[in-house]
């Protein structure tokens, strides 16, 4: 019986990876019709509404707000920081490249956990961070002096840093409030992020949204598939599979994003950038295997992402 459950959970993990990987394609394509901040605000709003419905169906007790200060901090760094900056990076950057750079989160988590939580870095962690740094250099290629490409890469890296900070915040929150429900936390941080991103969209000049069918489809995909369905799958996968296996989606999503962007968008990374991506993936694999009991696995369990 447990074997069947595990197979179902593995199938759920594959579907979850596919949904979150393809969302990078959607995020890139929608930039043809909308500004980064306004679209992020709208996807947060749609995601919040769908998640509120999911919570209501689960029961009224799940609608109770999660700890305000921690939830707001996660909203600022996770959704506003990570998602907002990644969407901004996609204006001039390729979907696969931005996905890989955003998913450098585990390296920042390891570094921040050592600095602020007192978690000791292992020798292989140092090696992984060094390999990842070499990979980042090859992906960014600063010697080419393409300012728009460099700006996009730095924004994507900053989104990964914000994601890493949010994981540390989540770690501290769970230490003080161990009973917080993950779906409730996701919902309330999304609500707070909607308000913040609406303010940002109102203050930053952007071209008006061209309400093409693709924009409506992108919002529906973000709210229904990448938020409600994906988070339901994530909770199911976490419940049925070890955290170490579940956290492999942190490795699979950016790799799939690169392959999908290559196939669907014609974004050929080339030998230098491709070598950098390979080094980052190798370093991610080392981190995911050697960090199972550290804050890295917690980051995987608390990834408040893809509104």
């Amino acid at each position: 019986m447990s074997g069947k459950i595990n197979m179902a959970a593995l199938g759920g993990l594959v579907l979850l990876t596919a949904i979150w990987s393809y969302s990078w394609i959607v995020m890139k394509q929608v930039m043809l019709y909308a500004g980064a901040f306004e679209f992020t605000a709208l996807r947060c709003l749609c995601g919040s509404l769908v998640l509120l419905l999911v919570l209501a169906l689960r029961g009224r007790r799940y609608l109770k707000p999660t700890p305000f200060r921690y939830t707001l901090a996660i909203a600022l760094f996770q959704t506003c920081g990570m998602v907002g900056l990644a969407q901004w990076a996609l204006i001039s950057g390729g979907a696969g490249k931005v996905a890989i750079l955003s998913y450098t989160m585990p390296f920042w988590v390891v570094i921040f956990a050592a600095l602020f939580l007192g978690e000791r870095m292992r020798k292989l962690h140092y090696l992984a961070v060094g390999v990842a740094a070499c990979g980042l250099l090859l992906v960014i290629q600063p010697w080419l002096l393409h300012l728009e490409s460099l700006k996009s890469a730095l924004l994507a890296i900053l989104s990964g840093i914000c994601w890493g900070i949010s994981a540390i915040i989540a770690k501290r929150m769970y230490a003080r409030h161990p009973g917080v429900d993950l779906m409730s936390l996701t919902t309330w941080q999304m609500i707070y992020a909607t308000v913040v991103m609406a303010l940002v969209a109102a203050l930053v000049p952007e071209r008006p949204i061209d309400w093409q069918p693709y924009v409506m489809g992108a919002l529906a995909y973000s709210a229904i598939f990448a938020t409600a369905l994906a988070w339901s799958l994530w909770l199911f996968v976490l419940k049925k599979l070890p955290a170490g296996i579940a956290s492999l989606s942190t490795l699979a999503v950016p790799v799939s994003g690169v392959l999908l962007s290559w196939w669907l968008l014609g974004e050929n990374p080339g030998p230098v950038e491709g070598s950098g991506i390979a080094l980052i993936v190798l370093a991610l694999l080392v981190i995911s295997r050697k960090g199972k009991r550290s804050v890295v696995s917690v980051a995987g369990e608390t990834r408040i992402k893809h509104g």
Side-chain angles (χ1 to χ4, degrees), residues 190-201:
M190 191 78 68
I191 292 171
Y192 300 154
T194 299
V195 176
V196 175
M197 289 310 305
L199 291 174
V200 172

Side-chain angles (χ1 to χ4, degrees), residues 237-248:
V237 166
L238 270 183
K239 184 177 180 181
K240 302 299 181 182
L241 291 177
I245 296 177
S247 296
L248 287 178

Side-chain angles (χ1 to χ4, degrees), residues 8 11 27 30 41-42 44 86 173 183 189 237 240 265 299 301 303:
M27 290 166 65
V30 81
L42 285 171
C44 287
M173 185 201 67
M183 187 71 82
Q189 69 85 31
V237 166
K240 302 299 181 182
L265 305 179
E301 293 175 20
R303 43 187 293 182

Side-chain angles (χ1 to χ4, degrees), residues 49-59 62-63 183 187 228-229 232:
L49 294 174
V50 174
L51 284 170
L52 280 171
L53 177 60
V54 172
L55 288 187
L57 293 175
R58 291 179 70 196
Y62 292 104
L63 290 170
M183 187 71 82
T187 303
L229 176 59
S232 299

Side-chain angles (χ1 to χ4, degrees), residues 114-128:
L115 291 175
F116 302 114
L117 299 181
E119 293 196 4
R120 188 165 57 91
M121 288 180 63
R122 305 179 186 181
K123 292 181 180 179
L124 279 176
H125 284 163
Y126 286 105
L127 176 62

Side-chain angles (χ1 to χ4, degrees), residues 19-20 22-23 26-27 30 38-51 53-54 87 190 209 211-231 306-307:
I19 291 172
W20 275 339
Y22 187 70
S23 69
V26 173
M27 290 166 65
V30 81
E38 193 169 3
F39 178 75
T40 302
L42 285 171
R43 68 181 288 191
C44 287
L45 174 62
C46 294
S48 298
L49 294 174
V50 174
L51 284 170
L53 177 60
V54 172
Q87 192 72 60
M190 191 78 68
I209 293 180
W211 286 102
Q212 296 293 323
Y214 190 87
V215 177
M216 303 298 293
L219 287 172
Y221 184 91
S222 297
I224 298 171
F225 291 99
T227 299
L229 176 59
W231 274 104
H306 285 289

Side-chain angles (χ1 to χ4, degrees), residues 100-115 121 124-133 135-136 160-161 164-165 168 250-251 276-288 295-296 299:
I100 281 289
L101 295 179
S102 295
Y103 269 78
T104 55
M105 175 272 292
F107 308 119
W108 307 115
V109 170
V110 167
I111 294 170
F112 294 152
L115 291 175
M121 288 180 63
L124 279 176
H125 284 163
Y126 286 105
L127 176 62
V129 170
V131 171
L136 284 175
I161 292 174
I165 293 172
I168 300 300
T250 305
L251 175 64
I277 289 172
L279 288 176
I280 292 173
V281 170
L282 176 62
L284 278 171
L285 184 60
V286 171
I287 289 286
S288 68
V295 72
V296 175

